[in-house]
Amino acid sequence: MSDDEYVYDEDRGEWMTAADLAAKRAAESSIEVRDAVGNLLADGDQVTLIKDLDVKGAGQTLKRGTLIKSIRLTGDPQEIDCKFDGIKGLVLRAEFVRKR
């Protein structure tokens, strides 16, 4: 299907271009992830921890104020995927971080 073709949008009951329909569906499926103070988070953002967190399985505690670089959104509005030295597969709750 090319972007010039018109398709029928059953939700709105009208015809629209395929590109417009694809953009509408992408906007509907996007999930907003917000930090502890309500800032909108996006892939690649840097965040700071707002409290000490014990990391299960790593035997390590991440201290308040620790900078986490280059986060990734997981599709869950409450979780973010992070990289941190010595810890693989670190997933943090958005309520424990603040956007930098």
Side-chain angles (χ1 to χ4, degrees):
M1 182 180 329
S2 80
D3 290 344
D4 296 339
E5 293 181 25
Y6 278 83
V7 292
Y8 187 73
D9 182 11
E10 294 178 12
D11 296 337
R12 296 168 97 182
E14 63 184 34
W15 290 91
M16 55 192 333
T17 64
D20 290 342
L21 183 60
K24 177 187 161 223
R25 288 187 178 156
E28 289 173 351
S29 67
S30 68
I31 296 174
E32 286 189 352
V33 179
R34 297 196 176 266
D35 69 0
V37 293
N39 296 321
L40 191 61
L41 297 174
D43 287 339
D45 282 347
Q46 293 183 358
V47 295
T48 305
L49 296 179
I50 62 169
K51 69 178 275 183
D52 291 351
L53 297 174
D54 292 326
V55 181
K56 294 180 182 177
Q60 190 174 356
T61 300
L62 295 176
K63 299 292 183 185
R64 183 176 149 219
T66 301
L67 177 66
I68 306 291
K69 298 179 181 180
S70 190
I71 66 168
R72 286 183 301 164
L73 304 181
T74 62
D76 182 330
Q78 296 299 317
E79 295 180 348
I80 55 173
D81 188 30
C82 311
K83 289 183 181 177
F84 192 76
D85 293 336
I87 303 173
K88 290 187 177 186
L90 179 63
V91 177
L92 296 174
R93 303 272 304 171
E95 64 192 273
F96 299 128
V97 299
R98 183 182 73 231
K99 186 174 181 177
R100 186 148 191 236

